[in-house]
Amino acid sequence: PSAFPPEHFQIVLCCETLEHVERWRESIEGMWHVLKPHGFLTITTPTQEKGRHNYPSDYWRWTLEDYAHIFADQKIHRRQLTYERGIGVVVEKLTDTLYLDIEPYEVP
């Protein structure tokens, strides 16, 4: 986020990437930091059913309930299965509050 000022983008996309980020909480916080109020964040990730795919690493899996928890104080426009083994969420930023106290499934 230091490369961009706060509240710089109207839309932030993170598609099939977050599961490869060891420090995922910091990544979500960074995306939220650069998102304008009433801007949209879209995240897609694989489900637990998708096997490990190291490019170069593969750490985590979330559920639709995890996304509902993380973005509980925001307006969730969509939270759904995106393909056979993928899920996604589209969130509108209403506040700066995120609930990152969950523990996603760790890919063995």
Side-chain angles (χ1 to χ4, degrees):
S2 61
F4 301 102
E7 301 178 352
H8 185 73
F9 293 103
Q10 185 66 35
I11 298 171
V12 175
L13 302 173
C14 181
C15 299
E16 306 305 310
T17 304
L18 196 58
E19 69 272 15
H20 300 288
V21 179
E22 189 170 8
R23 293 163 43 183
W24 66 271
R25 289 175 180 88
E26 291 175 26
S27 292
I28 292 178
E29 287 173 338
M31 290 183 267
W32 209 245
H33 178 75
V34 299
L35 188 62
K36 292 180 179 182
H38 298 284
F40 292 89
L41 170 63
T42 298
I43 298 174
T44 64
T45 53
T47 64
Q48 293 178 9
E49 288 77 33
K50 181 165 181 142
R52 177 181 284 278
H53 57 283
N54 290 327
Y55 300 116
S57 300
D58 187 12
Y59 299 105
W60 317 108
R61 298 292 186 269
W62 292 267
T63 65
L64 293 173
E65 292 76 23
D66 291 336
Y67 287 145
H69 179 81
I70 292 169
F71 301 109
D73 286 353
Q74 314 309 321
K75 183 172 183 179
I76 297 175
H77 288 267
R78 284 192 169 246
R79 187 174 54 97
Q80 68 183 52
L81 191 67
T82 56
Y83 59 94
E84 185 179 331
R85 290 185 236 154
I87 58 172
V89 64
V90 177
V91 183
E92 181 179 349
K93 182 179 181 177
L94 302 180
T95 73
D96 288 331
T97 305
L98 296 171
Y99 297 98
L100 300 171
D101 58 337
I102 63 158
E103 293 298 329
Y105 174 77
E106 192 169 343
V107 179

